[in-house]
């Protein structure tokens, strides 16, 4: 084994673009076996073709993280294809920012379903396998919005505070054999910045995201957490552009 990543089976949700895609490509280069899920199957297949051409091992499955059975099927795909699951990366997320007074209730519901329930469904799918193996690693995507609330981001921040609370509770409950990492990105180049239907908020977000750093920054942080020895648990990583103040 060249590193503590090679040969590990890594499941990633929200893998059709941005952080999920970059992480899949980077870990595949390091010898991980990737199982990639997202709603856009056509994009997953393009990514998979390119990874395979470079000698990587990957399987994909159309996955909607708001459906518990879809996430369970993604984990089953990993076990059926590669015999185990070592890492569950709950990456899928949306960020339709807007002031509360805009009353975008449907968007609030969607953020709760994807950002919170999606993580819980990932835990529910992978935890029984990790417990049987007496090993495993959850990496849950939070956000600096889970550390600080900005105007227009109240509900999004609420979902990311929830991810941090759920992840810390998980660590305390299963930490003897199973590792848990909260990954907390700042401004990272991804499709999250395109999520706002509120025009004024969208313009503000586009301006702020001019300072975003590449998604590979997150992929490298994920690799750092995974490659630690089994008795070392990186509990939280915060990654921001150097110019980001919030």
């Amino acid at each position: 084994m060249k590193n503590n990543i090679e040969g590990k089976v890594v499941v990633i949700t929200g893998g059709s673009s941005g952080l999920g895609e970059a992480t899949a490509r980077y870990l595949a280069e390091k010898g991980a076996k990737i199982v990639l899920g997202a709603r856009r199957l056509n994009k997953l297949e393009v990514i998979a073709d390119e990874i395979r051409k470079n000698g990587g091992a990957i399987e994909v499955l159309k996955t909607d993280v708001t459906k518990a059975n879809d996430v369970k099927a993604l984990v089953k795909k990993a076990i059926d294809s590669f015999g185990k699951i070592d890492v569950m990366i709950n990456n899928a997320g949306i960020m339709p920012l807007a002031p509360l007074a805009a009353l975008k209730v449907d968007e609030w519901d969607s953020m709760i379903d994807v950002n919170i329930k999606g993580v819980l469904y990932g835990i529910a799918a992978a935890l029984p396998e990790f417990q049987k193996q007496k090993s495993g690693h959850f990496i849950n995507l939070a956000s600096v919005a889970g550390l600080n609330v900005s105007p227009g981001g109240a509900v999004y921040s609420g979902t990311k505070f929830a991810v941090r609370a759920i992840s810390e509770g998980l660590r305390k409950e299963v930490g003897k054999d199973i590792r848990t990492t909260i990954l907390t990105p700042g401004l990272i180049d991804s499709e999250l910045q395109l999520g706002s239907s509120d025009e004024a908020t969208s313009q503000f977000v586009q301006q702020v995201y001019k300072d975003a750093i590449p998604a590979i920054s997150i992929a490298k942080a994920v690799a750092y957490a995974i490659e630690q020895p089994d008795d070392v648990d990186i509990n939280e990583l915060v990654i921001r552009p150097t110019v980001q103040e919030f």
Side-chain angles (χ1 to χ4, degrees):
M1 299 287 282
K2 297 178 183 177
N3 55 53
N4 204 26
I5 295 174
E6 186 174 356
K8 285 191 171 178
V9 178
V10 180
V11 175
I12 307 172
T13 65
S16 61
S17 66
L19 280 59
E21 176 184 354
T23 300
R25 293 180 183 277
Y26 189 72
L27 295 180
E29 289 176 3
K30 288 185 166 291
K33 298 174 182 178
I34 307 297
V35 181
L36 203 56
R39 289 176 293 185
R40 297 177 294 185
L41 182 59
N42 59 327
K43 289 185 174 288
L44 292 177
E45 289 174 339
V46 170
I47 296 165
D49 286 345
E50 293 174 357
I51 286 175
R52 290 182 187 122
K53 285 177 184 176
N54 290 326
I58 181 170
E59 297 292 334
V60 301
L61 186 69
K62 184 176 181 179
T63 306
D64 181 346
V65 298
T66 69
K67 299 176 181 178
N69 285 337
D70 274 24
V71 186
K72 190 179 294 186
L74 186 65
V75 170
K76 186 176 185 299
K77 180 80 169 179
I79 294 165
D80 291 346
S81 300
F82 300 119
K84 61 174 181 171
I85 171 176
D86 295 299
V87 184
M88 181 74 193
I89 303 179
N90 291 306
N91 166 73
I94 58 172
M95 191 180 72
L97 303 181
L100 288 171
L103 299 180
K104 293 185 178 289
V105 177
D106 288 346
E107 293 182 356
W108 300 350
D109 287 342
S110 294
M111 279 189 278
I112 290 166
D113 287 345
V114 175
N115 298 356
I116 301 177
K117 290 183 179 178
V119 171
L120 287 170
Y121 293 159
I123 293 169
L127 184 55
E129 299 302 324
F130 289 168
Q131 289 175 319
K132 280 192 286 186
Q133 297 169 179
K134 294 188 176 180
S135 68
H137 191 174
F138 287 104
I139 300 178
N140 297 331
L141 269 289
S143 167
V144 294
L147 303 172
N148 176 60
V149 184
S150 299
V155 178
Y156 179 70
S157 285
T159 66
K160 293 304 183 176
F161 271 89
V163 169
R164 297 185 72 247
I166 290 163
S167 301
E168 179 64 0
L170 178 66
R171 180 187 72 83
K172 290 179 177 178
E173 290 182 15
V174 302
K176 180 177 180 293
D177 298 315
I178 299 167
R179 302 193 291 180
T180 302
T181 300
I182 304 167
L183 195 54
T184 301
L187 297 172
I188 311 295
D189 188 21
S190 76
E191 292 182 357
L192 279 182
Q193 63 187 286
L194 307 176
S196 300
S197 65
D198 182 78
E199 186 174 346
T201 304
S202 180
Q203 290 176 1
F204 173 76
V205 170
Q206 297 301 309
Q207 183 65 33
V208 168
Y209 264 80
K210 289 181 179 179
D211 289 329
I213 54 179
I216 189 66
S217 309
I218 297 300
K220 290 178 178 179
V222 170
Y224 172 75
I226 293 173
E227 68 189 359
Q228 301 306 310
D230 290 343
D231 61 346
V232 176
D233 196 0
I234 304 297
N235 299 135
E236 184 164 13
L237 289 164
V238 182
I239 302 99
R240 294 183 178 96
T242 54
V243 298
Q244 184 175 352
E245 297 178 356
F246 57 91

